[in-house]
Structures are given as C-alpha cells and as structure tokens.
Amino acid sequence: MDPMTFSIIRHRLFRIVDEAVITLKHVSGSAITNEGHDLMVSLYRADGSLLMGGVGFLHHLTSAAEACKSIIRRFEGRIREGDIYLLNDPYTAALHTSDIYLVAPIHHDGELVAWSACFVHVYDIGAMNPGGFSPQSPDIFTEGFSSPGIKIVDRGEMVDDVLDTMLNMVRSPEMVTLDLRSMIACNNVARERMQALIGKYGAETVDAAGSELIRQSEDLFRARLRELPDGEWQSRQYLDVDGETAVVRLTMTKTGDRLAFDFTGSSPQSRYAINCTRWASLGGLFAPLFPLLCYDITWNEGVIRPVEMIAPEGSIVNCTRPAPVSVATVAAIQSVNNAACATIGKMLAASDTYRAQATAVWHANHFAIFKFGRNQKGGEAIGILTETFAGAGGARSFADGVEIGGEIPNPISRMANVETVEANFPIRYLFRKRMIDSGGPGEWRGGTGGEMAITPHKAPDGGIHYVISGKGARHPMSDGLAGGLPGAPNRYLWIKPGESSGEASGEASGEASGEDGGDERIPGAANPVSWGVFPLMGEDALYVRWNGGGGFGDPLARDPDRVAEDVRKGLVSRTAAEDIYAVALGDTGAVDRSATERLRSGRLAARLEGEQVS
Amino acid sequence: MSDRRPYSATIDRVAVPGGEDLVCRSCGHGLGSADAVWKEVARLDERPLCEAGGSVFEATDPKLLLRRFYCPGCGAALDTETALEGEPFLVDRVRG
Ligand SMILES: [Zn+2]
C-alpha cells in the first residue's frame, strides 16, 4: 500500500474514535461520563481484535475486544447491519456490571467488516447499593442486571421489550436510558464514519491498512522491548477492606521481545467486591503499558501479541463466579494497574535510553463515593464524587509529578466543577484544595493529591446518603521509585458536630474505630468510614483526602530551593521540609544553607550507622 | 565508566570474572553479586510507616513497614518499599 493512503486511513481511524467520544459526551447526561470521562471508545476488526484503541479508561481496550469476540460466538450467523449488542457480565468480558459495553457491527455491502465498541459507567444498574459500586453485595447476583450478550438494537430499530426489561431493574431509568442512547449515538457515528471511509477507499484497502497498522505496532513494540534490558521486576499492592488486607503480587519478566506478567502469590478471592476477573486483570496491566511503553505506537492487537499474563484461578485477580466484583475497577484492577506501572517504571529506569520515560506510580487509589437521595429540586439523584478522577502525577527522573495531575490508566480523566455538583445535589463544599505533604517525597516529588469536605445544604430530607467503597486508606498505593517515598494514602472521615469520636455506625461497619486527630477547620468528632452506606445529615460533614503520586530519588538530594518553594506554595509543611528533606528554612522561608548542609550530612551519617541485615 | 551498565536508576552492574557485580552508582561501593540479593547487604532502615512518614501517614496500618535501603558506602537512598511485617524483599533481576 502506498504510504500516503496508509497514513490517511490511519489518521482517519484516530479521528473516527475522537468524534465518537465527543458524541458520547454530548449525549450523556451523567457527570461521571461528561465530567469525569469514565468512558472508552475503540474500533475492532471483523474478528473482534483491537484495531484502534481510543482514550478513556484504557483497561477497557482489551476487555471490549473480548466482548466483541463473545458476541461473534453467541450470535454467529445472526449479526445484521444496524444491530447493537449489550454486554456487561464480568465473567464474560466486562469489568463490572455498571460499565456496560455496547458493541456494534459495521457492515459494507452486506459484509461484516469491523466493530465499534464503547462503554460508560451507567447511572445505575440495580445492584444492592445505588450507583453500581455495591460494597454490601456478597456475590455477583446482588450486583444488578448482568448480561453475557443481548441485542438491544435490531437492524436500526430499538428492541423495546428488551430495553424496558432492563430499565425495569434499575434506579432512575430515564438517566440509564440517556446513558444507553449516548452509547448508541456513539456507535452510530463510528459506523457512519467507518462506512464513509470504506466507501472512499474500498473495503480491501481499509482492511489492508488495518492489517498493516497492527503489524507495524507489533514490530515497533517488539523492537522497543529488545532495546530494554532483560530481567524480572517485582511489585506488590496491599488492599484493605474493613480490617482485612489482600495483596496483589506481580513479577514482570522481560525476555527478548516478550513481556510476561505473573500474579502468582496474590490473595485468594475476597468475600468483598474488590475482586476482578481474568479479562479485567489483562485490561488492568495494559492500562499503564499502552502509555508508558507504547506512547508513540498505535494501540492495537499488535501490542497485545508479545504480552502474556499468568493469573491464578480463584485469586483476587482471577476470581470465579459468583464472587462479587462491583468494586473491581477501583480495587483489584487498579492494583494491577499500579503493580504494572511500578514494574514497568523499574524496567525503564534500568535503561539509560529509556530512564526519562520511567515514572513512580501515579494516583493509585480511587475512592468510589456515590451520593444519593432527594435533591433540592425534589428529584432522586445519584452521582459519584468526581474528585476520584482528579488524581496526582507520579514523579519522574527529571521532574516532579503534576499536582492533582490525573492518572495513568485514563489520559483524559478530570473532576467536575464544584458548582456543577452543588447544582445537582443538596450539598455545599466547605473546601476543595491541594493536600499538603501528600506528594511522595523524593529528589523529584510526587504530585499532591487533594482534600475536600462537603455538608448538606437545602436538602428536602435534611441531608443525603452516600455509598463508599473506600478501600486502601491504611496502605499507601502510589509507590515511589529509585529511593523515592510513596504518596500519602486516602482518608475518609465522617465529622459529626457536638459528638465524641468513635466508630461510625452506618448500615455497614466503618474501618477500625478510635480517636482521630480531626480537623480544626471542621469542628466535631471525626470518625473514619470506608465501606458501606452512611448518612450525611444535618450539620454532618464528609472529609475526603485523596492520595498523592509517588516520589522519585532520594529526598536528601532534592534541591533545597525547590523545597522552600513547595513550603511557600503550601504543598510541603515546614515539618516535612526538615524531617523528610532535611532542609532548614529561616524565618522568611528562605533556605538556611549552612544549617541545611549540617542537617543533611548528619542524616547521611545516621544512615551509615544503621543496622546491616543478614 | 563505560564498562558499567545500569541495574536501576541508582545501581550499576559491572562485569567480573564469572558474572556481574552490583555497585552504587553514586560512589561505586560494591553491593555483591548480581545473582545475590543486594538488599541484604544494603543498610536497611525499617520502621512503621505511621511513625516514619509524617502526619499524612499517621493512620496507616501499624504493621506496615517503610523499608529504606541505603548504600553502605555513601548513604545514598538506593530503593524503598512498603511491606507488612514478615514480607520478603521485592527482588529485581536485570540481565543482558
Ligand atoms: Zn554509594
């Protein structure tokens, strides 16, 4: 194929995905989609293999390929032009029930030539708890509507009986309808643009370009792997729920032009919904792999071929039915993201050529908090705190992490404006800001996370409730790299004015109870909460802190002027400047150079006096 | 030095008869054979993260340890990891 035609087709495929994403956002009415960008659109070949991976949550690219393949197997011989299929069963291909895949065949002259697939986190899926994350569910049966594959559009006509059956099982069916319609519109745009492309260049040429694009990605990725050193790198991620700690263990082995991810040794599947299925783990490891190793390579089937995964059956990263998985995307899948990010970061750091691409772990711990209840307009509202998508950048070998800088698995994630949330929920923000000392210390500091507090305001029922799947508050998950420290962990506090501290008594238990330091900005008793459904009534406040990114390199090697600047900006405390970075600041906030030198040489000497193990 | 190859961002590999040794990139101090576990000869500072990390880590699990591995020659931080009590070290191997 001539290179001009190839380049034009390649570029058109990118733009088709972009335009489909825009359609999805414009039609959807959910903050989680159009503010948080919890979405994905990709194109697949006729056999369901990934042709052009789009932006959004990258752990969906490979799972949606499996969704296409599963629909092909189930509906073979009955797939018609204009059909659209729904699949959201995690044991078939999806990540959790609320991330619904709509996959659509694309035909040309009656022949199936490609697929488009997209997902959004729908407004509700009818699980025990509103919003899709269902911490109280003991099994998949209580995690809402779940289908291994069903036709919802038949040759361009809505299959109303099927749609109505599904909508009969969810809260706020009108919002779920809008979610589904946004995905139908998205697939329609993808199909029309693909058909236009094929109309112009011919099916054979477009398919040959797709083949070539996949071959090119595979060649480029294998060449990159050959440039990196062979070796094995390990990481682990702790996940605590309600006093129980699970662990995801990873050994990543790179041999020649192949990469293997082995999760042997990870915890057995949990009774809590933090588990994930095999397809979810595979997607989870690709989410950091695409941007960190294939930043200049088209994300398609060619990148998948050199990669192998071992995930023991019955473990937290390959659970068996009917284990609950509704919290997977922010639990085991995210831990797989983090563990893969850590091992890939170490492999890149072991190469002089690629060290600048290495990164400490970014925002490693989502908090799924769904507010629900009657709002100031009298309607029932459900919505996620989109601050979970705000993130924090990991530090690199030459730069600090970006403050509240997003996350690796979703290059376009972001949070909603405070005003957008206050317009739809009967709450007020007391504050929302960058969190001091949350960025992992290092020669290069991890980006800070944030902190926020909300309280009821003009609520017809005196307040609202929220579902929290706040695992991970007891272990930092954003690992540092090359001697850098981890970013600070999450924290969730229910502040009750005029009460003494103690265990939070929601419908589910809170995390380990006890006195908590509290916060002078919000007077009252501070009670840690983490898992279940809790009220936010009267003058209650909910305080949430989200994690910072990991640091890179030795904190004692950080330029003291950078530390002083961080203190000036309120990103690092004077205490941490002295205790962690060994930087002495004068009354004006400027670096006291001789005192700093004394502090640092004293710290180095103390390190050398330490005990030697073995 | 041209005969050094990276093991990590802080440690190099040097060829020796019969294999490779690891050395601190900052000072060249030997960290043993590349086939052994260098963390066992590093200076280890291991303490609960809730005491070592500052106030933002105060609520972490008291059994969660912050392990900092320092070069015995110059004191440079070579690596860190967090681990529950009794966990083995994370072991990385670099070849070729
Ligand atoms: Zn040294």
Side-chain angles (χ1 to χ4, degrees):
Chain A
M1 178 176 308
D2 79 273
M4 286 301 284
T5 307
F6 174 74
S7 289
I8 290 167
I9 292 173
R10 173 175 175 270
H11 197 75
R12 283 285 292 274
L13 293 172
F14 274 115
R15 297 289 81 83
I16 289 168
V17 170
D18 281 352
E19 195 179 343
V21 169
I22 291 167
T23 308
L24 190 59
K25 284 169 57 178
H26 282 189
V27 180
S28 170
S30 298
I32 192 168
T33 304
N34 49 33
E35 302 276 1
H37 290 173
D38 189 0
L39 56 84
M40 184 281 302
V41 182
S42 291
L43 297 171
Y44 297 83
R45 300 188 80 200
D47 65 358
S49 57
L50 181 60
L51 169 62
M52 176 64 69
V55 291
F57 266 110
L58 305 181
H59 40 227
H60 284 280
L61 302 190
T62 51
S63 301
E66 183 55 26
C68 292
K69 290 172 186 171
S70 180
I71 294 295
I72 292 167
R73 289 192 295 268
R74 179 175 291 265
F75 291 91
E76 195 173 6
R78 294 179 287 146
I79 297 168
R80 316 265 183 243
E81 183 162 2
D83 286 354
I84 297 182
Y85 299 85
L86 180 155
L87 187 152
N88 74 329
D89 173 35
Y91 288 95
T92 304
L95 304 189
H96 60 170
T97 51
S98 47
D99 286 353
I100 287 186
Y101 290 136
L102 285 201
V103 305
I106 298 170
H107 287 77
H108 179 76
D109 285 345
E111 288 289 313
L112 176 65
V113 290
W115 292 81
S116 65
C118 59
F119 100 90
V120 299
H121 184 112
V122 292
Y123 203 79
D124 188 68
I125 196 66
M128 273 181 78
N129 301 128
F133 291 90
S134 189
Q136 292 178 313
S137 286
D139 51 39
I140 185 77
F141 310 120
T142 51
E143 294 187 321
F145 173 85
S146 166
S147 171
I150 193 169
K151 189 184 285 191
I152 66 159
V153 177
D154 184 11
R155 283 170 275 194
E157 297 293 322
M158 291 292 297
V159 187
D160 287 324
D161 52 344
V162 167
L163 187 66
D164 290 346
T165 302
M166 183 201 158
L167 294 173
N168 204 34
M169 291 184 259
V170 300
R171 305 169 183 90
S172 302
E174 70 292 346
M175 292 302 289
V176 177
T177 303
L178 197 52
D179 283 329
L180 293 176
R181 287 190 178 276
S182 72
M183 288 195 281
I184 291 168
C186 166
N187 279 317
N188 286 345
V189 166
R191 182 179 59 239
E192 284 166 18
R193 298 300 180 266
M194 277 296 282
Q195 285 172 335
L197 178 67
I198 291 166
K200 183 162 181 184
Y201 292 95
E204 266 182 39
T205 306
V206 171
D207 194 56
S211 252
E212 173 61 14
L213 200 51
I214 288 169
R215 191 196 58 76
Q216 196 182 69
S217 290
E218 182 173 354
D219 288 352
L220 289 168
F221 185 36
R222 287 190 189 276
R224 172 147 301 150
L225 289 173
R226 283 193 296 269
E227 284 185 86
L228 289 159
D230 282 357
E232 293 167 26
W233 294 268
Q234 293 190 321
S235 64
R236 75 182 147 238
Q237 284 271 313
Y238 296 115
L239 263 162
D240 71 282
V241 178
D242 234 2
E244 283 183 26
T245 302
V247 58
V248 171
R249 294 180 201 282
L250 170 61
T251 299
M252 182 187 82
T253 303
K254 196 240 111 175
T255 313
D257 61 0
R258 285 171 294 122
L259 201 51
F261 293 80
D262 185 349
F263 293 97
T264 300
S266 298
S267 295
Q269 63 194 47
S270 171
R271 62 196 173 108
Y272 295 110
I274 57 174
N275 307 296
C276 72
T277 60
R278 178 182 171 77
W279 293 112
S281 283
L282 186 70
L285 71 87
F286 272 104
L289 188 153
F290 285 127
L292 292 178
L293 290 175
C294 302
Y295 44 87
D296 53 357
I297 299 171
T298 306
W299 300 341
N300 60 32
E301 169 70 16
V303 174
I304 299 169
R305 287 174 186 161
V307 177
E308 173 195 356
M309 179 184 77
I310 299 165
E313 202 172 333
S315 74
I316 189 172
V317 293
N318 182 8
C319 61
T320 52
R321 197 174 172 87
V325 297
S326 70
V327 182
T329 49
V330 302
I333 296 172
Q334 198 180 14
S335 292
V336 168
N337 293 160
N338 300 335
C341 180
T343 53
I344 292 170
K346 289 200 277 189
M347 176 173 71
L348 291 166
S351 159
D352 289 331
T353 311
Y354 285 103
R355 187 159 309 124
Q357 304 295 340
T359 178
V361 176
W362 291 42
H363 167 47
N365 190 0
H366 275 291
F367 51 94
I369 300 178
F370 278 79
K371 315 170 291 290
F372 68 96
R374 210 146 62 95
N375 68 10
Q376 59 271 48
K377 299 161 194 161
E380 291 295 327
I382 307 173
I384 195 170
L385 284 179
T386 58
E387 284 80 1
T388 191
F389 300 118
R396 289 150 293 157
S397 62
F398 60 93
D400 291 344
V402 180
E403 328 297 354
I404 309 191
E407 62 181 309
I408 288 275
N410 186 346
I412 58 168
S413 74
R414 59 178 198 180
M415 62 180 159
N417 289 325
V418 162
E419 291 76 13
T420 306
V421 183
E422 290 178 343
N424 292 305
F425 284 89
I427 58 166
R428 280 290 176 270
Y429 279 75
L430 300 174
F431 54 83
R432 185 172 86 178
K433 61 198 286 284
R434 296 183 292 196
M435 175 65 203
I436 195 165
D437 289 340
S438 59
E443 178 177 2
W444 299 102
R445 178 177 53 72
T448 60
E451 59 174 351
M452 54 167 283
I454 53 173
T455 192
H457 182 76
K458 293 186 178 168
D461 298 325
I464 54 171
H465 284 71
Y466 58 93
V467 185
I468 177 168
S469 311
K471 84 298 148 200
R474 284 161 65 77
H475 306 99
M477 300 166 102
S478 316
D479 291 341
L481 184 58
L485 270 61
N490 292 8
R491 195 94 177 97
Y492 323 100
L493 299 173
W494 175 9
I495 318 251
K496 293 189 264 190
E499 280 188 30
S500 60
S501 295
E503 185 165 356
S505 52
E507 290 172 36
S509 57
E511 70 181 34
S513 65
E515 290 294 315
D516 191 275
D519 189 323
E520 71 273 12
R521 292 167 297 182
I522 321 165
N527 300 270
V529 290
S530 71
W531 196 257
V533 177
F534 295 91
L536 186 69
M537 304 299 285
E539 295 180 345
D540 288 353
L542 172 63
Y543 170 85
V544 177
R545 173 198 301 171
W546 70 90
N547 56 185
F552 189 106
D554 191 341
L556 292 190
R558 184 163 177 78
D559 180 347
D561 288 327
R562 288 188 188 275
V563 176
E565 176 75 4
D566 285 347
V567 171
R568 239 189 326 275
K569 288 180 175 166
L571 305 178
V572 169
S573 65
R574 284 184 79 103
T575 310
E578 184 164 332
D579 292 354
I580 310 269
Y581 293 99
V583 170
L585 300 175
D587 293 338
T588 62
V591 177
D592 181 334
R593 296 194 188 276
S594 55
T596 298
E597 222 164 275
R598 280 197 303 280
L599 262 180
R600 288 192 162 181
S601 55
R603 293 290 168 80
L604 278 175
R607 287 177 176 183
L608 293 171
E609 284 157 15
E611 284 293 303
Q612 187 168 329
V613 295
S614 88
Chain B
M1 286 198 290
S2 60
D3 62 337
R4 287 195 187 186
R5 287 194 290 178
Y7 164 87
S8 71
T10 57
I11 296 173
D12 281 331
R13 298 177 283 153
V14 290
V16 292
E20 279 185 328
D21 276 357
L22 301 180
V23 298
C24 169
R25 178 164 302 155
S26 298
C27 74
H29 188 93
L31 298 165
S33 163
D35 296 328
V37 177
W38 70 266
K39 288 179 176 179
E40 291 177 357
V41 297
R43 297 282 178 189
L44 172 66
D45 179 346
E46 181 182 71
R47 44 185 131 164
L49 179 61
C50 56
E51 295 166 14
S55 61
V56 289
F57 292 98
E58 269 172 8
T60 54
D61 185 344
K63 291 195 181 69
L64 185 73
L65 307 171
L66 174 64
R67 292 175 176 162
R68 284 177 282 195
F69 302 94
Y70 299 128
C71 169
C74 68
L78 300 175
D79 203 358
T80 54
E81 62 180 56
T82 52
L84 286 172
E85 284 171 5
E87 279 273 13
F89 295 149
L90 294 172
V91 175
D92 301 330
R93 305 276 182 201
V94 181
R95 304 180 199 95

